[in-house]
């Protein structure tokens, strides 16, 4: 038996593996875009639907994948990996999963390339479609928007799993034996989604003039949400990246029912392999606009027009459409060092008017605004100034960020709102008694204007008494009530049966 | 030939039965459907394209992928709907199972009817639970979602063992292997049946046949 692969079979196999790798990347990235995917079945083969599956090709994703592959194919020791990570609006990022397309040395010499391998690769892609929806990152990606986005990165070489944290799990999507090795597709995913903050307290300066909310109407026309985030100016959608169709390669759509010994007739185009690509490492543009899903809930946070968060941003592509961006650095008022990703949205001051205050300002607490490097007690015009840390670097000491364990009010502002009669008391630190400080409500300047926020607070804390509760009238009505009680009781006793029937209907 | 049999078990709330069953059945059929075959001369054939779409469940924190074929979806929904109604019916303590069987037809000579030879059988055992309050329902949503994720992984693992699959048929034999009645996709011949376990422990078998070019028993 001829165990050596014929040159035609070899060419076909290489082409299948190449396009399988490209389609794998498309399936994974599209599954993390945050939208529901829908493609149509077609009874007539089109010749461009590899593996008889309708998987759309996003040109930029194909381009990135080809760059990563650099003309090579997955082989022993050279795996193609797609890394999916999450990046919060504060710049923290976390790897969620790594999808690996690997090849090992176990060969199946007798398998038919043009038929069996092709069909099994098709089956493996279907399995990938199913598995990409069951890992935890899928649900996260469907909820991406304001607080975080999902990014992808393609690399070629050795698999790097260290970023997944402890106890990551793996799921094998499937394997396909070929005459040159066994293709294995698997996923390693993080299970510990508690957000281990690696935030550096020395942050890069906030990005200026960028908006957090993609779809909210904003009063600033210069920050229109529809600006594509683009590292290369003047780039048109789709004009830069060659689509798969340009490759002049047709996929196999014809098969033969002849016995295996006879040569199969295939509708395969030229096996042109040459894609001169280099492994991606430099600056890239973000996705073109066409990826924006019109019905996307909550909008998408754009990314800065210049990389703001180090080299990581350079190498990572957004899985969502991007515009000029701002990530408000507002931390939740109850934030601690570790917070789960799902809680990262709580307590955020996301309303548009906050943006006026967040630009140029680093927020360390929800109710504390302080400019960078200017934190002194003397010139702080903030409520509850005594809670502001003396040193901006020591965010650990900031009770707004790291509330002390010892008994404390839920937030100083709440404490003041609930105080009885006093205009501005709040609990001091645990060692002191009540300290009277001037009542300065959040977001309020000095009480210069009448009917300012402070005035409102004072008034609603001390509302006038209800007339029915005033003593004189109250006393009179009380006496009347008492007198009329026996009559009312008699009436109710008469109607006992009605009440009972009513209660029955409720059960 | 031995029929490969896989059994999956799920415990769900009543309103989750339909979505859980559809998720499992659609995932299996996604792997067991191809594009439409178009036979040409000289024994070659080409295959159409299978589209897919995401489905979000309303009562379970779960999403799955199914083949983009309304006919197939309707057929499955009809079968699952009957199963769900039977589960709710009197005499049932909420336990039952639904089976998806893939088979090949083997032509027999007259007067014998064609034989149906199963080659793969998927059985989903269902236990319907009753929940007391909304908090339990919320927990159930999440737990059933996680369980279904495990089931999908199990299904994929079985599918990728690459065990027996019927040989690709010639044009004359295609209806013995595939269901060619759908206009956009071509699943392997399958039938769905279910059993309800009533409170006495006996099973009442109801079979819903889904056959094309059915040969009636003489």
């Amino acid at each position: 038996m001829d165990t050596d692969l014929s040159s035609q079979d070899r060419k076909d196999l290489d082409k299948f593996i190449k396009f399988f790798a490209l389609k794998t990347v498309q399936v994974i990235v599209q599954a993390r875009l945050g939208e529901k995917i829908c493609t149509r079945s077609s009874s007539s083969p089109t010749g461009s639907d590899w593996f008889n599956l309708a998987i759309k090709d996003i040109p930029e994703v194909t381009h990135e994948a080809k760059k990563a592959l650099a003309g090579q194919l997955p082989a022993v020791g050279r795996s193609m990996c797609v890394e999916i990570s999450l990046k919060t609006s504060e710049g923290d990022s976390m790897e969620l999963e790594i999808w690996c397309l690997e090849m090992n040395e176990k060969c199946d010499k007798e398998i038919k390339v043009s038929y069996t391998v092709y069909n099994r690769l098709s089956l493996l892609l279907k399995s990938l479609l199913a598995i990409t929806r069951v890992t935890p990152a899928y649900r996260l990606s469907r909820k991406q928007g304001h607080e975080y986005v999902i990014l992808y990165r393609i690399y070629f070489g050795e698999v790097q799993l260290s970023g997944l944290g402890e106890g990551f799990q793996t799921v094998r999507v499937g394997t396909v034996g070929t005459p040159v090795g066994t293709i294995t597709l698997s996923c390693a995913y993080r299970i510990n989604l508690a957000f281990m903050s690696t935030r550096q307290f020395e942050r890069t300066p906030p990005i200026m003039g960028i908006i957090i909310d993609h779809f909210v109407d904003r009063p600033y026309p210069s920050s229109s949400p529809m600006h594509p985030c683009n590292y290369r100016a003047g780039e048109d959608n789709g004009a830069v990246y060659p689509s798969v169709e340009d490759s002049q390669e047709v996929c196999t759509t014809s098969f033969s029912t002849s016995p295996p010994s006879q040569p199969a007739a295939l509708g395969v185009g030229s096996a042109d392999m040459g894609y001169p690509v280099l492994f991606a490492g430099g600056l890239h543009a973000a996705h073109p606009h066409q990826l924006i899903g019109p019905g996307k809930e909550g909008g998408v946070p754009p990314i800065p027009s210049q990389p703001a968060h180090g080299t990581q941003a350079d190498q990572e592509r957004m899985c969502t459409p991007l515009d000029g961006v701002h990530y408000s650095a507002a931390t939740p008022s109850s934030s601690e060092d570790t917070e789960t990703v799902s809680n990262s949205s709580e307590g955020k001051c996301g309303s548009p008017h906050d943006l006026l205050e967040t630009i140029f300002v680093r927020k360390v607490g929800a109710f504390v605004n302080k400019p960078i490097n200017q934190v002194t007690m003397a010139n702080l015009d903030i409520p509850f100034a005594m809670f502001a840390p003396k040193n901006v670097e020591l965010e650990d000491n900031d009770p707004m960020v790291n509330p002390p364990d010892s008994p404390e009010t839920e937030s100083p502002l709440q404490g003041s709102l609930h105080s009885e009669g006093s205009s501005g008391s709040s609990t001091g630190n645990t060692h002191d008694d009540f300290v009277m400080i001037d009542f300065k409500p959040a977001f309020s300047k000095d009480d210069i204007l009448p009917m300012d926020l402070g005035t409102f607070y004072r008034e609603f804390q001390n509302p006038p008494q209800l007339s029915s509760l005033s003593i004189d009238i109250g006393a009179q009505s009380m006496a009347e009530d008492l007198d009329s009680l026996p009559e009312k009781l008699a009436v109710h006793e008469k109607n006992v049966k009605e009440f009972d029937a009513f209660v029955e209907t409720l059960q | 030939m031995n029929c490969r049999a896989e059994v999956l078990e799920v415990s769900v709330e009543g309103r989750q039965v339909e979505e859980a069953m559809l998720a499992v059945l659609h995932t299996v059929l996604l792997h067991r459907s191809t594009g439409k075959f178009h036979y040409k001369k000289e024994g070659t054939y080409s295959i159409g394209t299978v589209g897919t779409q995401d489905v979000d469940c309303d009562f379970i924190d779960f999403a799955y992928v199914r083949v983009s074929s309304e006919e197939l979806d309707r057929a499955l929904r009809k079968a699952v709907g009957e199963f769900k109604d039977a589960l709710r019916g009197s005499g049932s303590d909420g336990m039952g199972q639904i089976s998806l069987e893939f088979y090949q037809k083997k032509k027999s000579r007259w007067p014998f009817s064609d034989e149906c030879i199963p080659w793969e059988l998927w059985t989903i055992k269902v236990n319907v639970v009753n929940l007391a309050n909304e908090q339990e329902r919320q927990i159930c949503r999440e737990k059933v979602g996680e369980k279904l994720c495990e089931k999908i992984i199990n299904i994929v693992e079985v599918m990728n063992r690459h065990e027996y699959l019927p040989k690709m048929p010639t044009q004359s034999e295609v209806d013995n292997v595939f269901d060619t009645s759908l206009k956009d996709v071509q699943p392997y011949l399958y039938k769905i049946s279910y059993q309800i376990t009533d409170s006495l422990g006996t099973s009442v078998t109801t079979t819903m046949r889904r056959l094309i070019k059915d040969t009636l028993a003489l």
Side-chain angles (χ1 to χ4, degrees):
Chain A
M1 181 179 301
D2 181 19
T3 54
D4 292 335
L5 216 49
S6 71
S7 67
Q8 181 61 40
D9 274 350
R10 182 70 210 226
K11 276 186 188 172
D12 289 343
L13 183 62
D14 287 344
K15 192 160 40 156
F16 295 167
I17 294 174
K18 173 190 155 191
F19 278 95
F20 178 76
L22 295 177
K23 287 294 182 183
T24 293
V25 175
Q26 289 286 351
V27 168
I28 294 167
V29 172
Q30 288 176 27
R32 299 289 177 261
L33 283 178
E35 298 158 1
K36 284 166 70 166
I37 305 294
C38 180
T39 56
R40 291 184 60 188
S41 302
S42 163
S43 62
S44 309
T46 61
S48 61
D49 290 325
W50 275 92
F51 309 105
N52 309 117
L53 282 174
I55 298 171
K56 285 187 187 138
D57 285 320
I58 299 174
E60 183 176 297
V61 175
T62 303
H63 182 71
E64 294 297 329
K66 284 179 179 172
K67 267 170 130 172
L69 286 172
Q72 302 172 81
L73 291 176
V76 178
R78 285 200 322 256
S79 308
M80 188 189 76
C81 300
V82 182
E83 175 192 294
I84 301 290
S85 57
L86 176 149
K87 189 165 185 176
T88 67
S89 55
E90 293 158 12
D92 297 309
S93 67
M94 175 168 71
E95 279 179 33
L96 297 177
E97 33 181 46
I98 313 270
W99 297 84
C100 308
L101 179 61
E102 301 169 293
M103 179 85 93
N104 68 29
E105 291 154 342
K106 188 176 167 193
C107 301
D108 185 345
K109 297 279 186 195
E110 296 178 10
I111 199 169
K112 294 302 294 177
V113 169
S114 58
Y115 166 69
T116 309
V117 171
Y118 188 83
N119 283 337
R120 287 185 180 179
L121 289 174
S122 175
L123 194 73
L124 188 52
L125 272 178
K126 290 173 183 171
S127 298
L128 182 64
L129 281 163
I131 295 288
T132 44
R133 273 66 176 172
V134 305
T135 54
Y138 180 71
R139 292 190 60 200
L140 284 174
S141 68
R142 290 292 298 272
K143 294 176 190 169
Q144 65 183 302
H146 287 283
E147 293 85 31
Y148 62 88
V149 288
I150 304 293
L151 310 178
Y152 76 95
R153 180 171 78 96
I154 308 170
Y155 62 90
F156 197 72
E158 277 203 30
V159 184
Q160 298 152 22
L161 298 176
S162 54
L164 292 176
E166 286 179 8
F168 63 85
Q169 291 201 354
T170 55
V171 59
R172 182 143 81 160
V173 183
T175 61
V176 173
T178 75
V180 300
T182 298
I183 295 169
T184 305
L185 186 53
S186 59
C187 173
Y189 59 93
R190 169 187 285 271
I191 52 170
N192 177 16
L193 290 176
F195 195 75
M196 305 299 290
S197 171
T198 55
R199 58 178 73 143
Q200 305 296 320
F201 293 124
E202 288 197 20
R203 299 201 194 207
T204 56
I207 308 303
M208 306 197 295
I210 39 187
I211 306 300
I212 189 174
D213 194 323
H214 186 83
F215 289 126
V216 166
D217 285 335
R218 289 191 293 279
Y220 315 109
S222 60
S223 50
S224 155
M226 298 314 281
H227 289 171
C229 175
N230 215 327
Y231 290 109
R232 298 174 197 157
E235 188 172 76
D236 288 334
N237 294 344
V240 175
Y241 309 112
S243 62
V244 173
E245 285 72 32
D246 292 346
S247 70
Q248 297 179 353
E249 304 204 40
V250 213
C251 57
T252 304
T253 56
S254 284
F255 297 90
S256 170
T257 53
S258 312
S261 57
Q262 295 180 10
L266 297 177
V268 179
S270 63
D272 177 24
M273 283 295 299
Y275 278 104
V277 193
L278 292 174
F279 176 44
L283 207 60
H284 302 299
H287 280 255
H289 243 304
Q290 65 207 49
L291 292 181
I292 294 177
K296 192 153 180 51
E297 176 188 72
V300 176
I303 63 168
S305 56
Q306 290 164 18
H309 301 294
T311 55
Q312 189 125 14
D314 295 348
Q315 294 177 359
E316 293 185 284
R317 306 272 60 73
M318 307 293 280
C319 277
T320 54
L322 307 163
D323 289 326
V325 154
H326 171 57
Y327 289 127
S328 166
T331 56
S333 58
S334 59
S335 71
E336 299 177 359
D337 274 342
T338 62
E339 57 185 5
T340 60
V341 171
S342 57
N343 290 337
S344 63
S345 60
E346 288 169 16
K348 246 196 207 227
C349 309
S351 54
H353 76 264
D354 291 344
L355 295 170
L356 268 176
E357 293 163 306
T358 56
I359 293 176
F360 301 112
V361 172
R362 178 171 76 93
K363 278 189 169 183
V364 294
F367 302 111
V368 174
N369 283 334
K370 55 188 176 188
I372 299 170
N373 300 327
Q374 282 187 28
V375 182
T376 62
M377 297 302 293
N379 56 8
L380 279 179
D381 185 19
I382 52 174
F384 318 108
M386 59 180 299
F387 287 91
K390 295 175 177 45
N391 184 351
V392 75
E393 305 266 329
L394 297 176
E395 200 164 309
D396 282 331
N397 295 335
D398 187 336
M400 300 301 288
V401 176
N402 297 317
D405 295 326
S406 48
E408 200 194 28
T409 57
E410 37 295 87
S411 86
L413 184 59
Q414 270 191 349
S416 74
L417 285 177
H418 291 303
S419 65
E420 303 234 354
S422 69
S423 60
S425 69
S426 80
T427 55
N429 60 47
T430 51
H431 304 299
D432 295 340
D433 295 330
F434 286 98
V435 174
M436 294 293 290
I437 62 172
D438 287 342
F439 179 62
K440 290 197 178 183
F443 316 120
S444 164
K445 293 289 182 184
D446 290 336
D447 208 351
I448 300 168
L449 298 171
M451 297 313 292
D452 196 15
L453 195 57
T455 316
F456 170 72
Y457 278 150
R458 287 189 207 101
E459 286 192 358
F460 98 81
Q461 278 176 17
N462 299 303
Q465 278 236 322
L466 290 175
S467 54
S468 57
L469 292 179
S470 66
I471 297 175
D472 295 339
I473 300 171
Q476 284 175 6
S477 63
M478 182 85 108
E480 287 169 8
D481 282 343
L482 283 173
D483 288 338
S484 65
L485 262 181
E487 295 167 17
K488 287 184 184 167
L489 278 174
V491 167
H492 291 324
E493 275 176 14
K494 271 194 214 165
N495 298 332
V496 148
K497 283 185 187 164
E498 272 183 47
F499 289 130
D500 286 342
F502 174 67
V503 168
E504 291 282 321
T505 62
L506 291 176
Q507 286 175 354
Chain B
M1 154 212 349
N2 290 329
C3 172
R4 182 168 58 240
E6 303 293 334
V7 178
L8 306 166
E9 291 191 42
V10 288
S11 288
V12 294
E13 205 193 351
R15 61 183 185 167
Q16 296 171 322
V17 168
E18 196 164 350
E19 286 179 337
M21 296 303 103
L22 284 172
V24 172
L25 295 176
H26 268 302
T27 302
V28 172
L29 275 162
L30 170 68
H31 290 82
R32 293 286 180 249
S33 299
T34 74
K36 296 283 289 181
F37 281 16
H38 297 274
Y39 286 91
K40 305 173 202 172
K41 296 175 192 170
E42 299 154 11
T44 63
Y45 61 97
S46 58
I47 308 181
T49 301
V50 172
T52 57
Q53 59 187 83
D54 283 313
V55 180
D56 287 338
C57 294
D58 293 325
F59 301 111
I60 313 172
D61 287 346
F62 185 71
Y64 61 94
V65 177
R66 69 165 175 92
V67 171
S68 288
S69 166
E70 294 310 314
E71 286 176 274
L72 185 63
D73 189 41
R74 271 199 299 273
L76 291 188
R77 282 182 186 274
K78 186 168 174 228
V80 167
E82 288 183 15
F83 173 61
K84 185 185 73 172
D85 293 339
L87 267 180
R88 271 198 207 145
S90 60
S92 155
D93 59 356
M95 290 186 61
Q97 62 184 47
I98 189 166
S99 300
L100 171 62
E101 178 190 293
F102 292 100
Y103 65 96
Q104 273 179 265
K105 271 200 281 191
K106 191 174 166 191
K107 294 263 188 233
S108 299
R109 277 192 276 176
W110 186 90
F112 301 105
S113 57
D114 290 346
E115 228 179 314
C116 293
I117 305 171
W119 53 271
E120 189 171 75
L121 176 66
W122 294 86
T123 303
I124 313 161
K125 292 189 173 172
V126 179
N127 177 34
V128 180
V129 298
N130 291 316
L131 300 175
N133 59 46
E134 200 53 44
Q135 192 184 5
E136 285 183 21
R137 283 196 191 99
Q138 184 57 37
I139 296 171
C140 190
R141 274 185 74 103
E142 294 165 8
K143 284 215 163 4
V144 170
E146 288 166 19
K147 279 290 166 193
L148 285 177
C149 289
E150 288 173 25
K151 302 305 164 197
I152 301 302
I153 294 173
N154 291 347
I155 293 170
V156 161
E157 190 194 356
V158 170
M159 295 297 182
N160 278 274
R161 285 182 204 154
H162 302 303
E163 292 169 341
Y164 173 79
L165 279 181
K167 209 166 57 161
M168 283 300 149
T170 57
Q171 189 168 11
S172 56
E173 300 269 302
V174 69
D175 292 327
N176 293 339
V177 175
F178 286 102
D179 177 347
T180 54
S181 67
L182 301 168
K183 65 176 190 297
D184 43 14
V185 295
Q186 191 173 286
Y188 282 99
L189 279 175
Y190 71 93
K191 58 186 165 198
I192 299 178
S193 57
Y194 57 85
Q195 287 182 356
I196 306 297
T197 309
D198 66 17
S199 49
L200 297 175
T202 58
S203 61
V204 178
T205 304
T206 307
T207 301
M208 188 198 77
R209 286 188 168 270
R210 165 78 173 97
L211 295 171
I212 3 80
K213 296 169 188 174
D214 192 15
T215 52
L216 299 173
L218 291 173

